[in-house]
Amino acid sequence: MNSQHLHLRLHMQALSPSPIRTGSLHPPRKFSKTTTNNVVKSKLFLRLCNKTFDFGVCGSSRGVIRCSVAKEAGIEEEQKQQQQLGVRRAYPFHEIEPKWQRFWDDNFTFRTPGDVDTSKPKFYVLDMFPYPSGAGLHVGHPLGYTATDILARFKRMQGYNVLHPMGWDAFGLPAEQYAIETGTHPKITTERNINRFRTQLKSLGFSYDWNREISTIQPDYYKWTQWIFLQLLKRGLAYQAEVPVNWCPALGTVLANEEVVDGVSERGGHPVIRKPMRQWMLRITAYADRLLEDLDDLDWPESVKDMQRNWIGRSEGAEMEFPVLSSEGQERDIKIEIYTTRPDTIFGATYLVMAPEHPLLPSIMTPDQIKNVEEYIDIASRKSDLERTELQKEKTGVFSGCYAKNPVNGEAIPIWVADYVLGSYGTGAIMAVPAHDTRDYEFASKYDISIRWVVTPEDKKLGDSGKAFSGEGMVINSSSSTYGLDINGLHSKGAASKVIEWAEKTGKGKKKVNYKLRDWLFARQRYWGEPIPVVFFDDTGESVPLLETDLPLRLPELDDFTPTGTGEPPLSKAESWVKTKDPVSGKPARRETSTMPQWAGSCWYYLRFMDPRNSKELVAKSKEKYWSPVDVYVGGAEHAVLHLLYSRFWHKVLYDIGIVSTKEPFKCVINQGIILGEVQYMACRDPDGNLISAESAETMGEYNQEKIPEEEVMKSGDSFVLKDNPEIRLIARAHKMSKSRGNVVNPDDVVSEYGADSLRLYEMFMGPLRDSKTWNTSGIEGVHRFLGRTWRLIVGSPLPDGTFQDGTVVVDEKPTLEQLRSLHKCIAKVTEEIEGTRFNTGISAMMEFINVAYKWDKHPRSIIKAFVLLLSPYAPHMAEELWFRLGHTESLAYEPFPKADPAYSKESTIVLPVQINGKTRGTVQVEETCTEEDAFQLASQDEKLSKYLSGRSIKKIIFVPGKILNVILDRENTKVGVSR
């Protein structure tokens, strides 16, 4: 064996297109969104594989795989030691895997031709666009990629035209920040990261069509992102507005709400403030109802659909006007509009609350309160929307000094400023009803504001609880003869309708449907993003879109992309690019210097994959009509709301203008779970340095922790304790992989030690795809040994030098009935589990088959060929090599996937009741096709039944196949025999 294979590193490059062979096709099969939690069963088979059988020699050890923070020198030293020791391998994955990756690349095995036979069914399976970070992949990333690859390979073998592409969401803040820190242009670092990601993905054997690879930073891609923006602009769906934004002075950019955590930027931890800025907005609220209604027909997780419904937040209520009063108590010409979902409680409104950013606030605060209000506004500007609306936080506010009039009873109520009201929701002001809203109740209690009950709950105990009652009930204390409104005695729903009817009649309000969903803030003060194709006239400031024929507007090269410090975007430094002329009028103009957010390029990339080289249109209609929608879309739950919502919005706009043929982009969405780092064991010490048990530490409050090596730990009941001191219970916890915790496992190391097929198999075997799982190196050793057993079953035992003979040890003989039954039972299970995305139990079925096959004396070629095809979606490298050794010269990628024959896959034995003289005395297990003679023979050999038959003559046998055997004995004749 060549020792150089131990150092093999794979550096594949995407190659030019060439035709590909396809197979016969079958009707589409629907993928179930349900999963079966068979973790226990999977672990059982893992233990069987680990303990029951002889797996041969494996050179792997848990200590060899290192986290990505390990020093390179240490890894090289271990590799050198392995070479010197002449490590034997369970099977030669180090030769097989690069061989077949080269073959797939050289032969364009997974290329989907541009002109496919559209009479055949299609299957479009897609991974959520990865961001190519400098850290590269860790073992958590391939979880979803492996799942989609199994589906893609399975569907190809079922005869579908499969679209399985990969590309890069490559614009964004991380690359820009790294560029600022290092002085390296973000294009250089981004392309370097892309190359690394591509190499890592290819080393795992994913069957992507690399000919369709796209990146958001390519001008021929973002040309069409800009084109979509122009269509939005034409239809009034893109506009500019002065809005409060999350401004980070240190990063020099606007941040989305989800990029701000506890008042600081998620990246870098810099302070963030709220400030008004003129920004580009997209009118996603115009599509709110459609985004809500069309969720019902999607095969998505209900949790994801509920998150989108909550984010859109449709509610029905009333918009009411509260006139502002002068110091003399007279109505001023200023009215504060509020939105409420509970107009039935309006008589209980004892104060108003305005958001700190409300535009009318400067007009109403009294001179003696100006300083207090302005100081409060400054503090509120440093909080994120999430912080401000958190239910558990203590409510704060300041009195404006002014009062408003309640329109239903004329009562003067104080106007407060409080940050638990957002300027971006509703009207930016609320009527506060402390008796019937928890937040209002806490605020009123803190600031000694009156609380008035106007709804009586049906359960009287709730009214005496001393807390706010937010439910519905019978209305009380809600009548005004002066203003002509009486809703006393009505139920909440009827009262609400009557208030709205009165408000519309008197002109003091109206019925209103409202949404939590806000228009999409679409501008970023960054360099590394898509330029916005708009110019502004120098003389008037009027904005004018670029002509579509002038696209793409390319991002200019900049040497200095640091923040300006003034709020102006970095692009403002590119003076020669900024100064331009309107191509139509010839007037002097300046380009927009804000760029699009990272979300822009990832909103529509699934469409470009359908037709990635089209320079004339975003996507050809014929290709879009064939491939749409995406059949299965797999990605993390962190994108369950915004990415999916933004994509759906753009898709619906494109549907309205005739670019796409479907109302929704993604038919089925699957959120894979995350892979946590290996369990870490922590011991606790008190302030004096003494070891203490975890439960004692929890009560003590002040203690230190230290990491304990796994070899010093043992399990005791449901806990983990020190081996040397079992009285000390440890804290055992798995964390999300991160550099700071030092628990990142690099897939390159795993592939080097165990092979890509083992990594793929283990990630699928850890548990249901949708569940979170904990990485455990001993687990991958188990599936690696399973692959080694599979290899030796088919190829034979290793030679004395550790290598393997060419060919296989299979025989060209007709399989037995037992072998056919084992095979078809496995085919049925594996097929069913792939279609249900229950990959772990599909692997268990293959393990069962190998366990049974080891008991056979001979292994017929037809049986082994079918099993290799079953294995191929999971372990494609090994399967290709075995297929080749079985005498085939072409890839198995398009070979028909085996079909289970029900005649073999169903249970072949039954339990047959046996009666003696009409009385049931026992049962025997027989074949379904068992004859009367065979059934009687089995009964006479049964220990329990034989005592009734021994020494007795038989008068008659009644046999009903598959139902019963009744033996009638001759009571007088003792001669043993059978009389018919």
Side-chain angles (χ1 to χ4, degrees), residues 282-477:
L282 298 188
R283 209 179 302 275
I284 190 173
T285 50
Y287 282 73
D289 282 328
R290 288 167 63 181
L291 289 168
L292 196 59
E293 293 162 5
D294 292 346
L295 282 170
D296 294 338
D297 298 327
L298 296 176
D299 182 13
W300 290 19
E302 281 303 317
S303 59
V304 172
K305 292 199 280 189
D306 285 342
M307 281 191 279
Q308 293 220 354
R309 291 186 184 108
N310 293 335
W311 191 268
I312 294 168
R314 186 182 191 276
S315 62
E316 294 184 2
E319 206 167 71
M320 304 289 293
E321 290 182 346
F322 282 66
V324 176
L325 299 177
S326 66
S327 56
E328 293 80 23
Q330 302 299 313
E331 287 190 22
R332 297 171 58 184
D333 58 357
I334 302 175
K335 291 182 173 63
I336 298 175
E337 286 188 343
I338 63 94
Y339 170 77
T340 177
T341 59
R342 294 293 302 275
D344 56 307
T345 65
I346 193 168
F347 280 92
T350 57
Y351 66 103
L352 289 186
V353 182
M354 298 178 73
E357 58 271 19
H358 198 293
L360 290 180
L361 193 52
S363 304
I364 68 164
M365 52 187 177
T366 57
D368 60 324
Q369 285 295 100
I370 288 178
K371 182 179 179 181
N372 292 336
V373 173
E374 288 182 343
E375 286 178 353
Y376 185 80
I377 291 173
D378 181 62
I379 294 171
S381 73
R382 302 179 187 279
K383 298 180 182 180
S384 68
D385 288 356
L386 187 62
E387 287 178 279
R388 287 171 55 178
T389 56
E390 187 179 0
L391 293 177
Q392 287 74 26
K393 84 176 189 73
E394 183 181 0
K395 305 299 180 289
T396 63
V398 62
F399 179 44
S400 70
C402 196
Y403 289 79
K405 185 170 80 171
N406 189 325
V408 297
N409 58 13
E411 180 180 356
I413 58 177
I415 302 172
W416 284 74
V417 184
D419 63 8
Y420 74 87
V421 175
L422 301 177
S424 59
Y425 178 67
T427 63
I430 65 164
M431 66 174 197
V433 185
H436 304 292
D437 182 274
T438 301
R439 295 182 308 168
D440 297 345
Y441 181 87
E442 292 172 358
F443 191 90
S445 299
K446 180 177 180 178
Y447 292 103
D448 198 25
I449 303 173
S450 64
I451 299 173
R452 182 184 304 133
W453 280 72
V454 292
V455 176
T456 301
E458 295 178 5
D459 185 349
K460 301 300 181 184
K461 292 180 181 178
L462 295 175
D464 301 329
S465 65
K467 298 179 181 178
F469 170 66
S470 57
E472 296 181 345
M474 201 64 67
V475 176
I476 59 173
N477 301 326

Side-chain angles (χ1 to χ4, degrees), residues 39-68:
V39 177
V40 174
K41 184 176 180 183
S42 298
K43 288 181 177 178
L44 171 63
F45 278 106
L46 189 56
R47 290 199 296 272
L48 287 174
C49 290
N50 280 337
K51 296 180 180 179
T52 306
F53 301 99
D54 173 22
F55 291 98
V57 181
C58 176
S60 304
S61 63
R62 296 191 63 188
V64 175
I65 291 191
R66 295 175 175 266
C67 62
S68 62

Side-chain angles (χ1 to χ4, degrees), residues 15-21 104-114 209 211:
L15 303 177
S16 55
S18 99
I20 193 166
R21 182 172 65 86
W104 296 330
D105 263 1
D106 292 345
N107 293 277
F108 309 104
T109 303
F110 306 116
R111 183 192 169 209
T112 304
D209 179 0
N211 186 61

Side-chain angles (χ1 to χ4, degrees), residues 793-794 810 849 859-869 886:
L793 177 79
I794 300 171
V810 302
F849 176 85
H859 300 90
R861 184 180 301 274
S862 60
I863 298 290
I864 297 304
K865 282 175 59 176
F867 178 77
V868 168
L869 294 174
L886 287 166

Side-chain angles (χ1 to χ4, degrees), residues 243-264:
V243 294
V245 298
N246 299 314
W247 172 253
C248 179
L251 297 178
T253 187
V254 170
L255 299 177
N257 286 337
E258 63 276 4
E259 295 171 324
V260 182
V261 179
D262 296 330
V264 298

Side-chain angles (χ1 to χ4, degrees), residues 756-774:
D757 284 343
S758 292
L759 176 59
R760 291 167 60 108
L761 210 65
Y762 175 57
E763 297 217 351
M764 293 298 96
F765 192 58
M766 293 172 76
L769 175 63
R770 295 161 177 81
D771 291 359
S772 294
K773 296 159 278 280
T774 302

